[in-house]
Amino acid sequence: MLALTAPQATRAQIISVDGEKLDADSIRKDFDDRPYFGLYKDNYFIFGPAIGPKMTKENTNIKFQISIAQKLTRSTLPWGTYLYLFYSQKCFWNVLQNSMPMTDLNFNPGIGITKPLFVKNKYIGKATLMLEHESNGRDGLESRSWNKVSLAANIIIDNNLMVHGKIWAPIIDGMNNKDILKYCGIYQVGMQVMSNNQRFTGAVILTKRQGWNFNYNTVVELGWRVFKRDNQYLFLQYYNGYGEGLLAYKEFHSQLRLGICIKPKLFSEY
């Protein structure tokens, strides 16, 4: 996780990652030297029931996400950018039912340019312009698919707060999900907070569905770092809205799940 130290009059503000202080030059070097392969979004494995209706084998399930990034260029590109290949996969697994079916698999590859952001030698976050695809890998009436040109940014406000936003231009090619923007949204905003000791974290993510109404898909997340030097968290996620999975994107879900999460080094991506 990420924390910022207080600025001093004689030097630029620097950041601290697990107690190691880094200035802007060190951040640039870290982007150059870090392993090509790493985490992208949160990687989690969580289990829990629907909230509201009676708990059943059908509405109590496991949700897990695997998300990775691969840097494709060895050196910095023009304007201080880096080219990345992204891949996320989300799965819904009904382990309480007979044969324990995986009811929905969502595949989300993408490629994009990432630029670290600096102000007065202070690292304040990053911006990414990317082309991404999302589908469920099925055919026929259960096929779901769409593409997006997305612009995302994560901005560090202070040692306890990071805000983020993402907007996309959709390219909808799925014949069975032409109305997906009404359920999966047109942009996303949120914030992530963390304690001073970097052990506790919380996040709220709002995805605006198409239309002029105050209609958002809402995610609330809480995490507690199990060991101070590790990036593994006891993780609680609450989802309220539509579009949690592609197959049933038109169905409303209110779901509470608990499990384990592995977070990226600096801050979570959404």
Side-chain angles (χ1 to χ4, degrees):
M1 298 297 294
L2 179 73
L4 298 178
T5 63
Q8 299 182 16
T10 58
R11 65 180 184 181
Q13 190 173 22
I14 56 179
I15 70 169
S16 172
V17 180
D18 294 330
E20 180 183 358
K21 295 180 179 180
L22 303 170
D23 58 16
D25 290 336
S26 297
I27 286 290
R28 292 187 181 97
K29 188 175 186 302
D30 183 62
F31 268 89
D32 287 335
D33 297 343
R34 70 175 52 177
Y36 288 100
F37 181 80
L39 300 182
Y40 175 40
K41 300 179 181 180
D42 287 350
N43 287 252
Y44 55 76
F45 190 92
I46 51 179
F47 172 78
I51 302 299
K54 180 181 178 181
M55 186 173 67
T56 66
K57 294 180 180 180
E58 288 74 25
N59 64 20
T60 303
N61 61 14
I62 286 173
K63 176 185 178 183
F64 65 86
Q65 177 171 275
I66 299 169
S67 184
I68 55 175
Q70 173 77 21
K71 189 171 69 171
L72 298 178
T73 51
R74 181 174 179 82
S75 58
T76 308
L77 298 176
W79 303 293
T81 61
Y82 301 84
L83 180 64
Y84 280 89
L85 182 67
F86 304 104
Y87 179 76
S88 299
Q89 182 173 310
K90 184 168 56 180
C91 177
F92 298 87
W93 187 9
N94 284 25
V95 294
L96 299 182
Q97 292 184 270
N98 293 334
S99 77
M100 297 189 296
M102 291 188 177
T103 56
D104 194 12
L105 274 169
N106 297 172
F107 306 93
N108 182 204
I111 188 170
I113 294 287
T114 292
K115 179 176 175 57
L117 302 176
F118 303 96
V119 174
K120 297 181 179 178
N121 204 42
K122 169 189 169 184
Y123 177 65
I124 64 166
K126 64 182 180 180
T128 300
L129 177 66
M130 64 184 301
L131 173 64
E132 55 183 317
H133 169 81
E134 188 174 16
S135 65
N136 64 349
R138 300 198 183 190
D139 57 12
L141 296 178
E142 293 186 335
S143 174
R144 309 282 186 267
S145 175
W146 66 324
N147 305 289
K148 296 182 285 186
V149 179
S150 305
L151 178 62
N154 302 66
I155 304 297
I156 302 161
I157 303 300
D158 59 26
N159 61 316
N160 301 113
L161 177 64
M162 183 272 291
V163 297
H164 58 89
K166 184 177 182 180
I167 189 168
W168 48 82
I171 307 168
I172 303 172
D173 57 356
M175 296 302 296
N176 301 309
N177 52 264
K178 292 295 187 181
D179 58 351
I180 196 169
L181 297 182
K182 295 180 180 179
Y183 302 92
C184 294
I186 53 178
Y187 69 82
Q188 175 183 287
V189 294
M191 65 178 184
Q192 178 180 322
V193 298
M194 62 198 74
S195 63
N196 289 330
N197 64 4
Q198 304 179 34
R199 295 292 295 274
F200 297 92
T201 180
V204 176
I205 307 102
L206 302 174
T207 302
K208 177 65 175 70
R209 302 195 296 270
Q210 189 179 51
W212 296 105
N213 298 329
F214 192 74
N215 51 352
Y216 287 85
N217 299 328
T218 304
V219 181
V220 179
E221 297 176 341
L222 298 174
W224 175 64
R225 190 183 241 177
V226 181
F227 301 105
K228 186 176 181 180
R229 302 297 296 181
D230 293 341
N231 64 343
Q232 300 174 29
Y233 289 75
L234 184 64
F235 185 67
L236 181 72
Q237 184 189 78
Y238 173 63
Y239 190 97
N240 181 276
Y242 298 86
E244 186 178 22
L246 283 180
L247 182 62
Y249 73 97
K250 294 184 181 182
E251 296 180 11
F252 177 83
H253 290 95
S254 181
Q255 201 90 16
L256 185 67
R257 301 181 180 95
L258 176 68
I260 295 293
C261 179
I262 302 173
K263 290 181 173 290
K265 180 179 179 181
L266 295 180
F267 44 70
S268 297
E269 300 281 353
Y270 298 96

